Amino acid sequence: QVQLVESGGGLVLAGGSLRLSCTASGGSLNNYAVGWFRQAPGQEREFVAATSYNGGDTKYTDSMKGRFTIARDVRSRTVYLQMTGLEPEDTAVYSCAAHIALGAVVGGTGLYWGQGTQVTVSS
């Protein structure tokens, strides 16, 4: 079982940037496709971005493409979500999730999940 741990959330002013990190506790993410999702209060969970096990393929929600970048560092066994140009509407709990198949990550089914990290963007 993969246990995911997110970090890097916090409070930032509109227009600012944050980098979120996702690692596996007691193991490695290097064999898994990994994605980021977010959930704002009162809203459904939303897919943000995903990367294949080797970083060769990435997927984004169209509205976040260009502002958010997902990348993985095989050496540190970490998957990052670089967020720039943050807006108050980006305020949410951001969670990472993993699965062997990239398609499963994008579809949000059968995934290992982390606990999430809060991102708050103030205007």
Side-chain angles (χ1 to χ4, degrees):
Q1 178 136 358
V2 178
Q3 293 181 314
L4 305 183
V5 180
E6 303 94 338
S7 61
L11 174 64
V12 64
L13 292 174
S17 301
L18 280 175
R19 188 178 74 164
L20 307 182
S21 300
C22 175
T23 59
S25 173
S28 172
L29 287 176
N30 287 354
N31 295 326
Y32 291 87
V34 177
W36 285 95
F37 295 76
R38 70 184 187 183
Q39 188 166 21
Q43 297 187 23
E44 293 188 354
R45 187 164 57 205
E46 177 182 26
F47 170 76
V48 176
T51 177
S52 60
Y53 78 99
N54 63 358
D57 191 7
T58 56
K59 306 291 184 185
Y60 294 90
T61 291
D62 286 345
S63 63
M64 300 172 206
K65 198 178 297 184
R67 292 195 303 128
F68 294 3
T69 303
I70 190 169
R72 66 190 311 153
D73 184 331
V74 174
R75 184 158 47 183
S76 68
R77 299 181 289 183
T78 303
V79 175
Y80 300 100
L81 182 69
Q82 178 69 50
M83 305 185 293
T84 61
L86 285 164
E87 304 164 351
E89 294 73 24
D90 295 315
T91 295
V93 174
Y94 285 71
S95 301
C96 63
H99 193 279
I100 294 296
L102 178 61
V105 174
V106 174
T109 57
L111 309 182
Y112 297 110
W113 290 95
Q115 292 297 311
T117 184
Q118 176 70 45
V119 171
T120 302
V121 185
S122 64
S123 57

